[in-house]
Amino acid sequence: MFNDTLHLFNKYLKISLRTPLWLLFNLIQPLIWLIIFGQLFSNMAQLPGFPADSYMDFFLPGVLIMTVLFGSSWSGVSLLREITAGAVDKMLVAPISRISIVLSRIMHSAVQVMAQALVILIVAALIGTSINASVFSILAGLLVIFLLGAGFAALSNGFAIMIQREEPLVVIGNLMTLPLMFFSTAMVPASFMPDWISFLSTINPINYAVEAVRCTLIGPFNAADYFQGLIVVMAFAAATLYWAVNAFKGLRD
Amino acid sequence: MIQVDNLSKSFAGGQFAVNALNLDIKKGEIFALLGPNGAGKTTTIRVLTTLAGFDSGHVVIAGHNVDTHPELVRASIGLVAQQTGVDFLLTGRENLTLQGHLYHLPKVDIKARINELASYFELNDALDKQVMTYSGGMRRKLDIATALIHKPQVLFLDEPTLGLDIKSRKSLWHYVEKLNKELDLTILLTTHYLEEADILSDRVGIINNGKICVIDTAENLKSGISGDAITLSFESKDAQTESFAETLTKDGIAKHIQWRGNNLHIYVEHGASAVPKVVSMASEAGLTISELSLAHPTLDDVFLRYTGNTLTDSGEEEAGEEWWHQWAGKGGGSWGNKWKDDDSADEASTSTEDATTSESNQDEPWRAEQEKWAKLGKSTDDWQKWQNQDTSPDKDTTNADAQTTASEETKQDEPAWKAPQEKWGQQGESDDWKKWQKDSDK
């Protein structure tokens, strides 16, 4: 199973590397958000009780997580395209583990959003965001991003198998992203939120991911926050992965 | 090699996709499943290749039961599905290498096997180019090569020449025959082209509505429908027309007749000589023929003979067959079904397109003219008018050109039995045609 997954993962990686423009297109939206929102809300940092020096610093983890959501929600769309193209049948008719077909897609999507996040980090550093540039904090941040990316890619693949249509899948992806972002501390600190949104944020896995990425990349580092976030995204990834694999197994009618 | 007993599978809606199907295909045989879209060909292939489950029956491929040992079946078969399935952004070599890994071949073997397959399919030059630069025929060859990487015992080809041009189609036939002869490979292919089944297969199974109607050699099936087919349309099918039809068989003019609605299909040895007889007999009996047409029997006639339906009729029911519905079946759940309706519309329109293009290659040029003189039973005026039109210079440059190309294509593509059709196609020059005209002038 491991080898099958690896070979298929290699295939997806090769395909990604041959369409680099597509990866860049996916970066445009988060970068626009980072720059425009960073400017628009720059005065918010002067409010009493705001936890960061500049709004850009505060918002960067949110943008990274947004990139993960946007990026991994395409995984299901590409699964549908592969089904249409007959590529999935070709894999299914080979004597390989069914799990490796889903797993390779999800791993690939997670690695891809991790690379995109890295590009955004570099751009953010260039435009003056103050990042904890230690290897440890970057790796710790990317780990959370990887797991969250895997989770959302699994979710997208699972939905793709359930819905079997591209258009509603894209709509669901877009529909999910913004509320998940707003009901978290991605844009506004918890102390600024109305009570009901603050409550919703406590049951939103995105919120924990944002907090974990923020405490490691922007600081101040807080082991409790980080590991809480890590555990939440691990559980989220495990649950969605399990669901997606089962959905895929049920595909054989 | 392929043993199918009483295989049944129904769609979520309850109608049968495959109904009590039996197949017994021996080692080294090429077997063609011939049927219209929606007949259950793809479903059958999907069940036999472990891609789909089934409701009841017993399927053994290369000695392994698909239900209990799907992984053993997978290791011993190769599938070339309707959708190519090769990755366009990868090179031919990368596609083949990946396939080798998925079949768990050692690295050294993969390399050797790729070289072997590339020279076999004459893909050496293209091997390191991305598949998107390939022509349709090359893609199909690569697709077959990937399916052969592990030296399977059985090869499944689902509509292997669908959408290919005539040259690629012929070249592909050549490879399929070669594979079968040189490697003693058992091949099950599906097609809705009669000539494909005819040229390639040892035996043909005609499948319609999920049922096999007849299994025989192509020779026998063809001889059952040789000659020409005359179609008469009457105002109604009543005692008078039925007795007329019976007389035709009794007098030995018709080898076989078949009613479909108000249309009487008459199969005769030689159409040109039979038409005047039929027409005069009809007028003697006081019958009005509202339309008459003459053609060489097509797949439609084979189907009419064995299923009581023509291909055009069954085309309407094709919705359940398309790949999307295989996925949208039980596995897709209620969400899948929700979107199903939209898709059947999409898929149906695509297949109709396919059907028209393929039909028009063979049939269009002469069919249009036929329809014109079909009204012949009533008066010879139309006939005369048409004849004049045809000799006018206008017609010669435009229509005749088109028809020459069309019939040239036909010549390359069709086996010998299509030849009489071409004669009718080049109306002006045909001897039969002149004779026919003389007869009608009398």
Side-chain angles (χ1 to χ4, degrees):
Chain A
M1 186 185 97
F2 179 76
N3 274 336
D4 296 339
T5 310
L6 198 69
H7 288 305
L8 289 172
F9 174 80
N10 274 339
K11 170 186 104 166
Y12 291 123
L13 204 62
K14 258 183 210 159
I15 290 176
S16 282
L17 291 175
R18 279 172 203 180
T19 46
L21 273 182
W22 172 245
L23 295 183
L24 286 181
F25 275 134
N26 270 330
L27 286 179
I28 291 174
Q29 195 167 2
L31 283 177
I32 288 175
W33 280 69
L34 179 66
I35 292 161
I36 294 180
F37 266 63
Q39 293 300 310
L40 187 65
F41 291 127
S42 56
N43 286 336
M44 203 193 266
Q46 282 150 30
L47 289 172
F50 194 81
D53 293 340
S54 84
Y55 185 74
M56 200 96 107
D57 288 359
F58 177 81
F59 188 46
L60 177 66
V63 169
L64 292 175
I65 297 303
M66 190 195 272
T67 315
V68 173
L69 296 193
F70 280 133
S72 45
S73 67
W74 283 106
S75 186
V77 175
S78 94
L79 171 66
L80 289 183
R81 291 201 181 140
E82 280 210 309
I83 291 178
T84 316
V88 172
D89 276 352
K90 217 172 173 64
M91 292 184 249
L92 284 174
V93 88
I96 55 170
S97 139
R98 315 287 95 173
I99 299 168
S100 63
I101 299 174
V102 194
L103 216 54
S104 63
R105 306 186 52 80
I106 289 166
M107 290 299 129
H108 164 253
S109 186
V111 167
Q112 192 169 300
V113 292
M114 215 167 68
Q116 286 173 327
L118 202 60
V119 174
I120 290 188
L121 266 183
I122 292 167
V123 174
L126 289 177
I127 59 175
T129 318
S130 51
I131 299 165
N132 289 342
S134 82
V135 175
F136 167 76
S137 35
I138 289 177
L139 283 183
L142 289 181
L143 178 63
V144 172
I145 284 169
F146 176 85
L147 287 170
L148 193 71
F152 272 91
L155 211 56
S156 176
N157 278 281
F159 274 129
I161 293 162
M162 263 173 72
I163 302 167
Q164 308 211 339
R165 287 276 293 207
E166 259 184 48
E167 297 87 341
L169 190 62
V170 174
V171 171
I172 286 183
N174 284 335
L175 218 61
M176 254 175 22
T177 305
L178 283 184
L180 284 177
M181 295 298 296
F182 287 134
F183 296 153
S184 76
T185 55
M187 295 173 195
V188 179
S191 56
F192 287 25
M193 286 176 182
D195 285 347
W196 68 278
I197 291 186
S198 171
F199 167 73
L200 282 178
S201 73
T202 60
I203 53 168
N204 179 3
I206 297 297
N207 188 53
Y208 296 93
V210 170
E211 287 298 319
V213 171
R214 182 172 288 140
C215 84
T216 172
L217 281 179
I218 306 297
F221 184 74
N222 173 338
D225 276 356
Y226 179 74
F227 284 108
Q228 189 186 33
L230 191 66
I231 287 165
V232 167
V233 289
M234 268 169 126
F236 175 71
T240 51
L241 218 62
Y242 178 77
W243 178 66
V245 166
N246 269 326
F248 197 78
K249 277 186 186 161
L251 204 53
R252 180 181 184 269
D253 49 315
Chain B
M1 194 51 78
I2 299 175
Q3 183 76 45
V4 181
D5 294 317
N6 254 320
L7 173 70
S8 289
K9 177 184 170 66
S10 51
F11 285 122
Q15 96 253 36
F16 277 110
V18 177
N19 190 355
L21 190 111
N22 291 294
L23 284 176
D24 183 9
I25 299 169
K26 285 173 192 58
K27 183 169 167 53
E29 190 176 10
I30 305 186
F31 189 94
L33 266 184
L34 179 70
N37 295 330
K41 295 182 305 240
T42 301
T43 308
T44 306
I45 290 246
R46 288 182 68 86
V47 169
L48 264 51
T49 54
T50 76
L51 286 176
F54 50 96
D55 301 332
S56 63
H58 193 69
V59 182
V60 177
I61 310 281
H64 308 293
N65 187 313
V66 290
D67 215 25
T68 53
H69 295 101
E71 66 291 343
L72 292 176
V73 173
R74 284 177 196 132
S76 46
I77 62 167
L79 167 68
V80 180
Q82 272 181 46
Q83 290 80 29
T84 48
V86 289
D87 277 291
F88 282 28
L89 286 160
L90 300 182
T91 66
R93 190 187 298 280
E94 285 166 339
N95 267 300
L96 286 164
T97 310
L98 173 68
Q99 200 69 13
H101 286 312
L102 294 186
Y103 281 86
H104 307 129
L105 304 179
K107 256 188 184 157
V108 197
D109 289 5
I110 294 177
K111 265 191 185 156
R113 188 78 180 130
I114 288 175
N115 288 334
E116 202 179 320
L117 286 167
S119 35
Y120 194 89
F121 286 101
E122 296 166 59
L123 286 169
N124 278 316
D125 298 338
L127 209 51
D128 289 308
K129 287 182 189 138
Q130 286 188 337
V131 174
M132 57 183 171
T133 64
Y134 286 25
S135 70
M138 282 161 77
R139 274 176 208 162
R140 205 54 66 91
K141 284 201 283 186
L142 177 66
D143 205 9
I144 297 181
T146 57
L148 291 174
I149 194 108
H150 56 297
K151 302 189 178 167
Q153 301 176 53
V154 187
L155 181 65
F156 292 90
L157 301 166
D158 194 5
E159 300 272 7
T161 62
L162 194 70
L164 289 187
D165 61 68
I166 289 142
K167 216 180 131 195
S168 318
R169 180 177 297 173
K170 283 193 83 178
S171 124
L172 211 71
W173 286 347
H174 160 74
Y175 284 114
V176 172
E177 275 186 324
K178 207 170 134 188
L179 282 169
N180 171 256
K181 280 207 186 93
E182 291 177 6
L183 306 176
D184 201 24
L185 190 62
T186 309
I187 298 174
L188 173 62
L189 66 94
T190 71
T191 183
H192 61 255
Y193 299 123
L194 181 62
E195 64 271 33
E196 189 160 293
D198 182 13
I199 287 177
L200 282 180
S201 65
D202 299 317
R203 282 191 302 157
V204 182
I206 290 190
I207 183 171
N208 192 36
N209 290 330
K211 275 194 169 258
I212 296 232
C213 310
V214 59
I215 295 181
D216 210 332
T217 64
E219 282 308 310
N220 289 347
L221 287 176
K222 268 191 319 176
S223 65
I225 52 142
S226 69
D228 293 311
I230 303 169
T231 308
L232 300 183
S233 304
F234 293 110
E235 300 292 325
S236 64
K237 180 186 173 190
D238 50 28
Q240 216 185 352
T241 49
E242 271 177 63
S243 83
F244 165 69
E246 273 169 37
T247 330
L248 286 176
T249 0
K250 251 187 252 156
D251 290 2
I253 296 171
K255 290 197 303 182
H256 175 78
I257 56 162
Q258 179 99 37
W259 279 97
R260 205 179 127 258
N262 294 336
N263 294 337
L264 175 63
H265 297 252
I266 307 162
Y267 298 94
V268 297
E269 209 60 66
H270 191 240
S273 58
V275 168
K277 283 183 211 159
V278 171
V279 171
S280 69
M281 277 176 73
S283 61
E284 269 167 34
L287 296 173
T288 320
I289 300 169
S290 52
E291 234 176 81
L292 181 152
S293 71
L294 172 65
H296 197 90
T298 60
L299 187 52
D300 256 6
D301 296 285
V302 185
F303 266 87
L304 191 58
R305 175 81 175 270
Y306 288 106
T307 67
N309 243 335
T310 63
L311 265 173
T312 353
D313 291 339
S314 26
E316 287 161 23
E317 296 163 27
E318 78 191 47
E321 169 81 10
E322 299 303 328
W323 68 270
W324 194 255
H325 301 275
Q326 326 276 351
W327 288 94
K330 291 169 194 162
S334 55
W335 281 79
N337 290 335
K338 209 168 175 178
W339 301 99
K340 220 166 160 179
D341 290 344
D342 284 358
D343 267 297
S344 58
D346 290 352
E347 296 295 338
S349 68
T350 336
S351 344
T352 326
E353 240 171 62
D354 280 357
T356 9
T357 357
S358 61
E359 286 292 309
S360 62
N361 274 347
Q362 319 165 354
D363 296 342
E364 224 54 83
W366 48 275
R367 181 166 285 175
E369 300 306 338
Q370 254 182 19
E371 271 164 21
K372 275 188 195 159
W373 62 271
K375 309 262 181 330
L376 192 64
K378 288 176 187 162
S379 84
T380 49
D381 281 4
D382 290 341
W383 169 251
Q384 216 69 38
K385 218 190 292 172
W386 173 78
Q387 193 73 345
N388 292 341
Q389 260 178 26
D390 190 58
T391 45
S392 73
D394 242 309
K395 183 104 182 178
D396 277 341
T397 45
T398 53
N399 224 17
D401 270 4
Q403 285 181 2
T404 331
T405 21
S407 61
E408 263 170 21
E409 268 178 25
T410 327
K411 243 177 228 157
Q412 285 177 11
D413 184 30
E414 312 295 355
W417 60 267
K418 277 271 181 181
Q421 267 185 12
E422 285 171 36
K423 257 195 217 161
W424 290 100
Q426 299 162 354
Q427 334 81 13
E429 290 131 39
S430 158
D431 287 346
D432 281 347
W433 196 263
K434 293 253 167 68
K435 210 169 34 182
W436 170 220
Q437 201 227 332
K438 250 188 235 160
D439 285 345
S440 61
D441 278 347
K442 275 176 212 163

